[in-house]
Amino acid sequence: MPRLSIIGAGRLGRTLGRLAHGAGYRVIDVLCRDQAHAQQAVAFIGGGRAVTSVAQLIPAELYLLAVPDAAIADTAQSLADARVVPAGALVFHASGAGETSLLAPLVEKGVRIGSLHPAFSFAEPARAVSAFGGTLCALEGEEGVCAELERLAEALGGRPFRLAPDGKAAYHAALSMASNFLVTLNELALNVAAQAGIEPAVASQLIGGLMRQTLDNVLALGPAAALTGPIVRGDAGTVARHLAVIDDGLCAEAYRAMGKATLRLAGERLDEAVRQELARLLAPRVC
Ligand SMILES: NC(=O)c1ccc[n+]([C@@H]2O[C@H](COP(=O)([O-])OP(=O)(O)OC[C@H]3O[C@@H](n4cnc5c(N)ncnc54)[C@H](OP(=O)(O)O)[C@@H]3O)[C@@H](O)[C@H]2O)c1
């Protein structure tokens, strides 16, 4: 089995290290800046050697760079400067937002680079180890790199899939929109519900329940078939009344922007005259 070293053994590094060790990968070095952290990580993983500097690393085939995102580029540079990673080895990071190219300094040394992002929240390693099975893992890198990371992800119990070359930014934007904007939408809807005089506790159940039901519909039917409401019905009068009553400018702007995207989703279900009337109502306001 391949030899794996882990550089940055925090929540993700410890979890993946333990899973890899359990799957038969030979964990070689476990690097943290703090010796006690490295030793705790080795104890958790069940194998490896605790080290605190890149100069101490001995050769391996795979290197997981699991330092915080902001430290990935500098760590890759110090690995390249120290010439401790053998040519042909594979160094990969686990960031969802960072491109594989953060590891570029290593390419000049003949090292292959990639990334493996598990769509999972590693709050606490012991819990993460038991809950990791079935996690989708986004892979980025050239063909041979992806094939190797696929084998690793599957050995860890994950479900790997590949991103297009340089697809990381779009991948992370999609995740952020789905997760963060759902939260923002909930908050905006609660503010408008407050304008209707609805008690916060009732509003939370009303809006949350509808969001949950709608999410079930969209997951079962797909976005086009799950779409209901005044825009897809072509009810321009209701849309005009909504826009007239929303008293927060930012919220009205968000309504118009989401409304325009909804109009596109409604597509040919609207006749052209109604579509144009809705597009006029939903056009951004110039202040
Ligand atoms: N946590 C998650 O839910 C999650 C999910 C998906 C992806 N990821 C990705 O996984 C990576 C690691 O995240 P994490 O949450 O595991 O971080 P973390 O818990 O903060 O662990 C970071 C580890 O790196 C070490 N470290 C910090 N700065 C370093 C540096 N400059 N040089 C060397 N080692 C350093 C730390 O130990 P010392 O302080 O002792 O050095 C620690 O062991 C990130 O790329 C993150 O985006 C995380």
Side-chain angles (χ1 to χ4, degrees), residues 132-200:
F132 188 79
T135 294
L136 284 164
C137 298
L139 309 182
E140 198 192 16
E142 43 111 355
E143 172 59 36
V145 165
C146 281
E148 211 162 323
L149 292 178
E150 234 157 39
R151 283 193 289 279
L152 173 64
E154 279 166 0
L156 302 176
R159 286 189 292 145
F161 65 98
R162 296 184 188 197
L163 300 176
D166 300 322
K168 213 41 165 317
Y171 162 72
H172 199 252
L175 295 185
S176 302
M177 287 167 70
S179 170
N180 308 161
F181 293 174
L182 190 66
V183 175
T184 309
L185 202 57
N186 180 267
E187 199 262 346
L188 290 175
L190 288 173
N191 286 345
V192 180
Q195 271 190 250
I198 305 170
E199 288 285 322

Side-chain angles (χ1 to χ4, degrees), residues 54-277:
V54 295
Q56 294 171 276
L57 293 172
I58 58 175
E61 283 86 41
L62 287 170
Y63 294 79
L64 164 58
L65 226 158
V67 296
D69 282 8
I72 292 175
D74 284 352
T75 309
Q77 186 66 59
S78 33
L79 283 172
D81 293 345
R83 298 173 181 273
V84 283
V85 180
L90 167 56
V91 176
F92 64 102
H93 69 65
S95 167
E99 308 281 346
T100 294
S101 58
L102 288 170
L103 307 176
L106 289 155
V107 175
E108 289 165 24
K109 312 291 175 196
V111 173
R112 297 174 304 141
I113 59 172
S115 71
L116 183 163
H117 175 251
F120 187 91
S121 179
F122 294 84
E124 206 273 303
R127 288 167 64 88
V129 163
S130 46
F132 188 79
T135 294
L136 284 164
C137 298
L139 309 182
E140 198 192 16
E142 43 111 355
E143 172 59 36
V145 165
C146 281
E148 211 162 323
L149 292 178
E150 234 157 39
R151 283 193 289 279
L152 173 64
E154 279 166 0
L156 302 176
R159 286 189 292 145
F161 65 98
R162 296 184 188 197
L163 300 176
D166 300 322
K168 213 41 165 317
Y171 162 72
H172 199 252
L175 295 185
S176 302
M177 287 167 70
S179 170
N180 308 161
F181 293 174
L182 190 66
V183 175
T184 309
L185 202 57
N186 180 267
E187 199 262 346
L188 290 175
L190 288 173
N191 286 345
V192 180
Q195 271 190 250
I198 305 170
E199 288 285 322
V202 176
S204 169
Q205 288 177 28
L206 178 74
I207 302 296
L210 187 61
M211 289 181 88
R212 192 172 279 132
Q213 190 184 39
T214 306
L215 188 60
D216 286 344
N217 287 342
V218 77
L219 295 180
L221 306 172
L227 186 61
T228 60
I231 292 179
V232 70
R233 279 200 304 271
D235 184 353
T238 297
V239 171
R241 280 197 298 284
H242 289 174
L243 284 166
V245 80
I246 296 172
D247 62 13
D248 171 30
L250 186 60
C251 186
E253 213 178 299
Y255 185 109
R256 287 196 185 88
M258 290 304 292
K260 277 179 69 180
T262 306
L263 200 53
R264 186 171 75 178
L265 180 59
E268 292 174 358
R269 285 191 275 169
L270 294 171
D271 76 48
E272 188 51 23
V274 175
R275 200 192 61 74
Q276 280 184 20
E277 170 63 2

